[in-house]
């Protein structure tokens, strides 16, 4: 970079600086427009999902309160974002006079050349006449000079209220005393002329402080005729703690020289003080600063003369000699520094910070949804307990019904299988009806406050599955009972045998043969006869039945049927509801992550813009 610049080049460079500020603002606004589009899409998707969820859950359902809490939480989050968008404006602007230009804040004692210097920067004249201002106003730069005067302290011999605005220049006079904060603006540059630290009134104290906080460069002007005065050093001590770029200007570093002519009267001409004199004055100021323990390692001190530059406006060498060329070059250098690049990036950087906040707050959405998910799990645990209790109650009622029927009506007929089995068929219809009644009651207890329109749906679609029951049977045993008496035939047959044997024996052997034959015949006759006995009859005798076992089996069948039906029906309705809620949760998570991804992409674009 050149060590010095002409005023015209300086103004052109700051016109470009203004364009860079404008470009940064436009970049931020383009990012914001993209953000608004993504936000509205996200907001719309959430609204549709939550409205649909409301229609699936009754108002008195415990799940409804969780859903309402989720909706209210998301709506509160959304309102917070709307407030940021509408009220905070996401920082998508420059603060006029503070952030949208290079800000130069000028301090200095009375008659230290502050006003003359400011006028020269603005007009190229230290005290422009209306005619000069009118001529310059037609130039590209001159049209945009804007003066402003803040609260006037009404100091003696000070500038009048709004004088700078009305005159479009700072007052320059022999009794000059700036009594208010005055500014002018050129494209890319804000120049602030202050009354001095010691004379800033309460009305202007906060404004002066704010200008200082945002200043890119603080200028402290001292007259080259009396630099480094004790009163200056006290003011500088205060400025030194601001940790700002500070430059000391020894104004009026020119002098009058008498020039003799060969013919004619001698005349006075303005020349710059000698290089040696300027250096001695700068060294004097440095020494004075060191004595006050002020760090001068990065201190810049320039000797300048705005008047000399004005009088030699068409002479580049004279501009360089005046010190104003170096001053312009230094201002240009500051306009390209990291600090001002950061300043130009204020809207984009503010928007990036806003996006960081939004991205963090998306976790609030996740938190609301996770809480909703936890509430669904709690409801599921509560329903399990309610379901278990309802099943046991239905089974208790069924047990009482079965025991009453079995040990009442059926027990009276237990001696007849036919009668019991006929009655059992009739009873099954009654028991089936009772089971449906108890199951419906249980489902009503479990589901009425959870699933919307449950009652209407259950009466139309639910019916218990048919159950099969075993038959009643009587256990029997075979027993013998006396049926008739049979007399003894052995004596009769013995007598008959003796007679027959005696006859045969007599015929064969006489009386001896008759005796032997009678004995043999008697024995054989006895053998062919029967003893006296009782004749028996086989009959079936009932020894028990399976009524008790049948009752236990039927209890088991209906208990199992009740549990199975209730489990199945609850699962059918509750699982459908859980699927809806899980679907809602998944959809909300998906939309939230989609929005977060969009914001991360916008943040990346903002970061790329800042790097560029």
């Amino acid at each position: 970079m050149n060590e010095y610049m002409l005023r015209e080049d300086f103004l052109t460079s700051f016109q470009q600086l203004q364009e860079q500020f404008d470009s940064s603002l436009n970049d931020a606004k383009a990012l914001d427009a993209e953000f608004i589009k993504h936000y509205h899409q996200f907001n719309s998707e959430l609204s549709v999902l939550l409205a649909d969820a409301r229609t699936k859950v009754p108002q008195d359902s415990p799940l409804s309160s969780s859903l309402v809490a989720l909706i209210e939480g998301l709506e509160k989050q959304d309102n917070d974002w709307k407030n940021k968008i509408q009220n905070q404006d996401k920082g998508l602007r420059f603060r006029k006079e503070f952030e949208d230009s290079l800000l130069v804040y000028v301090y200095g004692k009375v008659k230290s050349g502050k006003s003359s210097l400011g006028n020269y920067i603005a007009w190229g004249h230290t005290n422009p006449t209306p005619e000069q201002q009118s001529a310059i106003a037609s130039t590209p730069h001159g049209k945009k000079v804007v003066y402003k005067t803040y609260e006037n302290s009404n100091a003696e011999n000070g500038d009048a209220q709004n004088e700078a605005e009305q005159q479009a220049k700072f007052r320059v006079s022999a009794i000059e005393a700036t009594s208010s904060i005055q500014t002018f603006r050129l494209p890319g540059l804000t120049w602030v002329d202050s009354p001095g630290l010691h004379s800033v009134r309460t009305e202007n104290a906060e404004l002066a402080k704010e200008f200082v906080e945002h200043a890119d460069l603080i200028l402290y002007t001292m007259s080259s005729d009396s630099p480094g005065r004790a009163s200056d050093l006290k003011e500088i001590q205060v400025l030194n703690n601001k940790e700002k770029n500070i430059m000391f200007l020894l104004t009026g570093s020119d002098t009058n020289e008498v020039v003799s002519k060969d013919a004619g009267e001698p005349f006075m001409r303005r020349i710059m003080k000698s290089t040696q004199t300027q250096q001695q004055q700068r060294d004097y100021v440095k020494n004075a600063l060191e004595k006050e323990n002020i760090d001068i390692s990065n201190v810049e001190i320039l000797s300048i003369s705005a008047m000399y530059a004005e009088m030699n406006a068409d002479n580049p060498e004279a501009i360089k000699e005046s010190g104003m060329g170096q001053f312009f070059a230094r201002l240009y250098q500051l306009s390209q520094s990291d600090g001002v690049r950061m300043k130009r990036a204020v809207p984009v950087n503010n928007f990036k910070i806003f996006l960081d906040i939004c991205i963090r707050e998306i976790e609030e959405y996740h938190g609301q949804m996770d809480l909703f998910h936890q509430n669904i799990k709690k409801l599921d645990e509560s329903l399990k307990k309610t379901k278990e209790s309802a099943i046991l109650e239905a089974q208790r009622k069924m047990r009482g019904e079965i025991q009453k029927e079995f040990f009442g009506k059926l027990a009276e007929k237990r001696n007849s299988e036919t009668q019991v089995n006929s009655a059992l068929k009739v009873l099954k219809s009654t028991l089936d009806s009772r089971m449906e009644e108890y199951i419906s009651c249980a489902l009503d207890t479990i589901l009425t406050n959870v699933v919307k329109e449950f009652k209407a749906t259950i009466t139309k679609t639910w019916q218990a599955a048919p159950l099969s029951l075993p038959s009643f049977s009587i256990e029997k045993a075979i027993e013998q009972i006396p049926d008739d008496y049979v007399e003894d035939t052995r004596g009769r047959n013995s007598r008959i045998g003796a007679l027959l044997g005696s006859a045969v024996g007599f015929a064969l052997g006489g009386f001896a043969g008759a005796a032997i034959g009678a004995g043999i015949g008697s024995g054989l006759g006895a053998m062919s006869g029967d003893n006296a006995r009782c004749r028996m009859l086989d009959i079936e005798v009932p020894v028990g039945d399976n009524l008790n076992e049948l009752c236990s089996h039927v209890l088991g069948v209906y208990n199992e049927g009740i549990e199975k039906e209730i489990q199945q029906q609850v699962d059918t309705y509750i699982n459908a509801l859980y699927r809806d809620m899980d679907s809602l949760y998944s959809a909300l998570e998906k939309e939230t992550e989609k929005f977060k991804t969009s914001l991360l992409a916008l943040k990346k674009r903002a970061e790329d813009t800042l790097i560029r």
Side-chain angles (χ1 to χ4, degrees), residues 441-455:
C441 182
L443 292 175
D444 186 59
T445 300
I446 299 168
L447 299 176
T448 296
N449 291 331
V450 179
V451 182
K452 196 168 188 178
E453 304 298 333
F454 162 73
K455 287 186 177 179

Side-chain angles (χ1 to χ4, degrees), residues 24 58 66 98 113 148 158 247 292 336 344 370 402 412 418-419 455 461 476 485 516 525 550 560 580 611:
S24 176
S66 299
F98 293 104
K148 186 173 182 179
M247 183 183 292
E292 294 296 326
Q336 304 304 308
R344 290 200 308 266
D370 287 344
I402 290 172
E412 295 175 357
T418 303
Q419 291 184 30
K455 287 186 177 179
T461 62
K476 299 175 182 178
Y485 180 78
I516 294 169
L550 180 61
E560 182 181 353
D580 288 338
I611 294 172

Side-chain angles (χ1 to χ4, degrees), residues 372-390:
F372 177 63
H373 206 237
Q374 291 171 14
N375 286 338
I376 292 177
K377 290 182 178 179
K378 289 180 181 178
L379 175 62
D380 186 45
E381 292 173 1
S382 175
L383 281 173
K384 285 179 181 177
K385 294 178 180 178
T386 303
K387 180 173 64 176
E388 290 172 1
S389 176

Side-chain angles (χ1 to χ4, degrees), residues 122-150:
W123 295 104
H125 296 275
T126 56
N127 190 16
T129 64
E131 292 75 21
Q132 290 171 328
Q133 289 174 312
S134 178
I136 295 170
S138 61
T139 67
H141 301 303
K143 284 181 179 178
K144 296 172 184 169
V145 181
V146 179
Y147 279 80
K148 186 173 182 179
T149 303
Y150 294 88

Side-chain angles (χ1 to χ4, degrees), residues 4 10 30 38 133 138 199 232 245 261 354 381 404 429 477 479 488 522 591:
Y4 74 96
F10 164 75
H38 289 303
Q133 289 174 312
S138 61
S199 58
D232 285 319
N245 292 309
K261 283 190 175 182
F354 171 79
E381 292 173 1
K404 181 183 70 174
S429 176
E479 293 186 3
D488 186 0
S522 176
E591 290 300 324

Side-chain angles (χ1 to χ4, degrees), residues 215-227:
D216 299 295
L217 175 64
I218 295 175
L219 297 179
Y220 195 92
T221 58
M222 293 178 277
S223 172
S224 65
D225 293 335
S226 55

